[in-house]
């Protein structure tokens, strides 16, 4: 795809990637004397003495089935955060390129821009936490290399309107990244099914949320094979470790377990939202399409501190633009949510009132 190729930084286009031992011989059986591994085993038990598959082929084969995409459309990284960083490094030149962000949103887009020395333009979401199209669409004419859209959005918990995302996809020449970390909790479908329609669309998903595997670090990027190939060319060869690959491969045989957990979390979300809404001190519980709730309270810092004292940790988002007074609360187990609600009922009244 020539138009996509031209978006890629010239030196990345021409890069001859590191070729690992496991690239040059891909057979499964043999006497492996090619990678300077320890043939005797692993200290601490288990069998981790061999380097992992740099292309994670078995996982991609299962994912392709599960997601209805081709293997060449899948990148796997050490968390989605690695995919975000690699997208910057594939497409953005520090001296000349810029990206568009729509805060309040996931902090890593900005941090990654800063780490990579890339300028970013921030266009605040509107009061309804939706894309500000009247400002955003004209900004697309400045040819941002990447536009990050997070849907459902963190920390605001809502899906972005589908028509708004489509408007960006229709106008944008560069890459549109739709981060779907929370899509399993949302009532509406993924943008994955539009990949063939929009070659410049990249969809991010993760095993960290609905799959319950944040500790294993596995993120997915889905996109056009040209984009995916470029990400694979520059990634560290063994970016997804053996243990993660083994456990995730097993997990992929049990998508019904994920669905069951999602159902339970949605039940808990509904109950928690109702209970919070019923509290007179809570000004607002924002609608959620994710596994967390954003609430607005008169004294967010006081609440946050008092909850910490009870070893209840929520996320204080009250200094974030458009999130005045807001706390972000992850939906916990029934027992955890009950504990939170009990604690909130006991909080000392806001001295400012
Ligand atoms: C949690 C989260 C991720 C997941 O990142 P990983 O590195 O895969 O754990 C990605 N995007 C958003 C918006 C998130 O909130």
């Amino acid at each position: 795809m020539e138009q996509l190729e031209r978006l890629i930084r010239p030196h990345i286009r021409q890069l001859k990637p590191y070729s690992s031992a496991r690239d040059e011989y891909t057979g499964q059986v043999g006497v492996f004397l090619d990678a300077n591994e320890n043939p005797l085993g692993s200290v601490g038990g288990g069998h981790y003495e061999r380097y992992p598959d740099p292309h994670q082929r078995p996982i991609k084969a299962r994912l392709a089935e599960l997601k209805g995409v081709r293997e060449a459309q899948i990148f796997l990284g050490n968390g989605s955060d690695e995919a975000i960083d690699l997208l910057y490094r594939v497409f953005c030149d520090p001296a000349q390129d810029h990206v568009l962000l729509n805060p309040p949103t996931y902090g890593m887009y900005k941090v990654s821009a800063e780490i990579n020395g890339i300028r970013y333009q921030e266009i605040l979401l509107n009061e309804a936490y939706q894309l500000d199209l009247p400002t955003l669409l004209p900004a697309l004419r400045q040819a941002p290399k990447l536009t990050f859209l997070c849907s459902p959005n963190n920390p605001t918990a809502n899906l972005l309107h589908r028509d708004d995302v489509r408007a960006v996809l229709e106008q944008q020449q560069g890459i549109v990244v739709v981060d779907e970390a929370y899509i399993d909790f949302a009532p509406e479908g993924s943008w994955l099914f539009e990949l063939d329609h929009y070659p410049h669309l990249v969809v991010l998903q993760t095993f960290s949320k609905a799959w319950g595997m944040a500790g294993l670090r596995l993120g997915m990027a889905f996109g056009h094979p040209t984009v995916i190939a470029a990400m694979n060319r520059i990634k560290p060869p063994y970016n997804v470790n053996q243990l993660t690959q083994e456990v995730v491969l097993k997990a992929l045989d049990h998508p019904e377990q994920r669905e069951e957990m999602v159902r339970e979390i949605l039940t808990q979300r509904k109950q928690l939202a109702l209970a919070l809404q019923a509290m007179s001190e809570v000004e607002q519980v924002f609608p959620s399409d994710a596994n967390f709730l954003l609430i607005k309270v008169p004294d967010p810092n006081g609440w946050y501190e008092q909850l910490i004292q009870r070893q209840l940790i929520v996320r204080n988002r009250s200094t974030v633009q458009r999130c005045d007074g807001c706390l972000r609360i992850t939906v916990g187990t029934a027992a955890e949510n009950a504990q939170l609600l009990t604690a909130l009922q006991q909080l000392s009244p806001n001295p400012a009132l």
Side-chain angles (χ1 to χ4, degrees):
M1 190 81 176
E2 202 166 315
Q3 217 173 338
L4 281 176
E5 287 281 353
R6 260 184 283 127
L7 288 173
I8 298 173
R9 298 162 78 188
H11 72 284
I12 301 292
R13 238 181 281 157
Q14 283 150 22
L15 179 78
K16 186 178 177 319
Y18 175 75
S19 178
S20 71
R22 290 293 174 266
D23 274 318
E24 286 165 16
Y25 178 81
T26 54
Q28 293 292 311
V29 282
V31 178
F32 290 97
L33 305 176
D34 59 346
N36 299 349
E37 297 147 336
N38 183 336
L40 303 178
S42 308
V43 176
H47 276 286
Y48 301 107
E49 66 270 24
R50 299 295 174 189
Y51 281 101
D53 175 2
H55 308 290
Q56 311 99 16
R57 287 188 182 88
I59 297 179
K60 284 181 186 166
R62 294 287 287 118
L63 268 182
E65 260 174 72
L66 199 67
K67 303 279 182 183
V69 299
R70 285 168 284 133
E71 288 171 45
Q73 293 175 298
I74 308 173
F75 165 85
L76 295 175
N78 186 4
S80 323
D81 290 349
E82 182 177 35
I84 293 167
D85 176 66
L86 290 180
L87 285 166
Y88 275 100
R89 293 200 280 153
V90 166
F91 292 106
C92 299
D93 255 314
Q96 57 199 59
D97 295 326
H98 78 288
V99 303
L100 280 189
L101 310 179
N102 301 271
T105 192
Y106 188 44
M108 276 312 289
Y109 314 140
K110 183 165 157 176
V111 171
S112 222
E114 281 169 350
I115 289 169
N116 286 290
I118 307 301
R119 282 179 304 123
Y120 51 88
Q121 183 181 357
E122 295 187 296
I123 297 173
L124 272 187
L125 296 176
N126 64 26
E127 300 279 347
Y129 293 146
Q130 292 295 332
L131 295 174
D132 175 12
L133 286 191
T135 316
L136 181 56
L137 291 183
L140 294 179
R141 287 191 218 119
Q142 307 302 314
K145 274 298 190 72
L146 304 171
T147 295
F148 283 93
L149 308 178
C150 188
S151 182
N153 186 42
N154 178 4
T156 63
N158 59 295
L159 279 163
L160 299 178
H161 291 324
R162 213 165 170 86
D163 289 346
D164 293 356
V165 174
R166 190 175 302 283
V168 173
L169 279 162
E170 293 289 340
Q171 299 270 320
Q172 159 111 341
Q173 305 291 309
I175 300 291
V176 179
V177 183
V178 180
D179 187 340
E180 296 187 337
Y182 301 98
I183 194 67
D184 299 285
F185 304 102
E188 211 177 271
S190 164
W191 281 90
L192 268 186
F193 309 103
E194 308 262 0
L195 279 183
D196 289 330
H197 192 62
Y198 296 111
H200 61 316
L201 166 65
V202 172
V203 175
L204 301 181
Q205 294 186 359
T206 181
F207 283 88
S208 296
K209 307 286 158 62
W211 288 92
M213 304 172 108
L216 289 177
R217 312 303 304 130
L218 191 66
M220 302 164 260
F222 302 93
H224 190 280
T226 300
V227 172
I228 297 303
M231 294 174 78
N232 280 325
R233 266 208 305 284
I234 69 168
K235 79 179 181 72
Y238 304 113
N239 61 329
V240 179
N241 71 73
Q242 179 67 24
L243 188 57
T244 297
Q245 293 196 37
E246 285 170 11
V247 177
V248 167
L249 199 55
K250 271 192 233 153
L252 285 170
D253 283 334
H254 300 285
E256 78 288 348
Q257 270 184 39
R258 179 204 58 191
E259 284 159 27
E260 199 176 306
M261 288 199 282
V262 166
R263 270 197 299 277
E264 169 64 10
I265 288 165
L266 293 185
T267 303
Q268 291 303 326
R269 181 179 82 191
K270 198 166 163 191
Q271 287 179 12
L272 183 61
L274 285 173
L276 288 166
Q277 252 148 18
M279 295 180 66
S280 58
E281 288 244 315
V282 175
E283 290 170 36
Q284 201 166 354
V285 179
F286 292 91
S288 174
D289 300 307
N291 65 339
F292 58 88
L293 293 170
L294 190 73
I295 67 168
K296 186 168 172 148
V297 298
D299 180 23
N301 297 330
W303 280 39
Y304 176 76
E305 288 304 332
Q306 293 189 64
L307 287 174
I308 290 272
Q309 281 160 18
R310 292 168 163 81
Q311 294 181 311
L312 282 158
I313 302 98
V314 300
R315 194 98 153 110
N316 187 352
R317 299 281 79 187
S318 61
T319 59
V320 170
Q321 271 181 305
R322 284 247 195 283
C323 292
D324 292 346
C326 287
L327 299 173
R328 194 193 71 193
I329 303 172
T330 307
V331 177
T333 63
E336 288 170 336
N337 300 336
Q339 203 184 331
L340 174 80
L341 290 166
T342 305
L344 288 178
Q345 258 127 25
Q346 294 166 351
L347 290 192
S348 52
N350 176 12
L353 289 179

